Amino acid sequence: MPAYPSAGALLSDALLRRDRFGANYGVLVVEGPDDKRVFAERTQRRQQVITAGGKWLLLTAHAAALASNLFDSIVFLADCDYDVTMGLLKADRGLIITEHADLEADLLACGGWDRIVGQLIPSTLDDDDIFNETVASVMTRTVALADVLGRYRR
């Protein structure tokens, strides 16, 4: 993961990559290496996904891009981390914010629970009712535990 000394350096790298790949490619700036792992396999070139090295650097680079109107093929993705509900962060041009606390929570909400249950408890795949009940139960219990941790973290 590159250690950018400033938001300007991060934005410069994003612009250089965008120019190197050409007009048919975009660049996605994400917070950390876990986010890059999710998106890098879904791009034409793995280098299209840039790890900012933290939310603060990502948001500062986004603000600089916004001030300079540099959103041609560059998008920033930030975890909500409860900042939206606390009024500290809002969606803006060129900035995508996860709906839930982080990208992983969004992926679980978009069918990830089904895949996890199917992988870890394959016996549930033989009966739709049992499968759906198991998914709902795992989701409910996990969210309850995560809620406690989220409150503690906040």
Side-chain angles (χ1 to χ4, degrees), residues 138-154:
V138 168
M139 183 179 74
T140 300
R141 291 176 184 188
T142 305
V143 169
L145 290 170
D147 184 52
V148 171
L149 292 173
R151 288 174 196 240
Y152 177 73
R153 181 177 175 206
R154 201 173 339 151

Side-chain angles (χ1 to χ4, degrees), residues 7 12 17 19 21 34 44-45 49 60 75 79 85 90 93 98 104-105 111 116 118-119 123-124 133-134 138 141:
S12 292
R17 291 184 196 207
D19 293 344
F21 297 141
D34 291 339
Q44 293 293 316
R45 299 177 182 186
V49 183
T60 305
V75 176
D79 289 337
T85 55
K90 65 178 181 167
R93 195 168 132 223
T98 60
E104 291 80 5
I116 289 171
Q119 293 276 330
S123 61
T124 63
E133 289 172 17
T134 304
V138 168
R141 291 176 184 188

Side-chain angles (χ1 to χ4, degrees), residues 31-87:
E31 287 184 31
D34 291 339
D35 302 320
K36 180 168 182 151
R37 279 190 283 277
V38 169
F39 289 106
E41 294 180 4
R42 290 158 178 82
T43 58
Q44 293 293 316
R45 299 177 182 186
R46 294 177 196 282
Q47 297 81 17
Q48 288 175 260
V49 183
I50 300 173
T51 302
K55 187 175 193 173
W56 180 85
L57 201 57
L58 180 141
L59 292 175
T60 305
H62 171 261
L66 190 61
S68 301
N69 201 25
L70 297 173
F71 285 105
D72 184 27
S73 304
I74 300 175
V75 176
F76 298 81
L77 173 70
D79 289 337
C80 174
D81 292 325
Y82 307 105
D83 292 340
V84 173
T85 55
M86 295 172 64

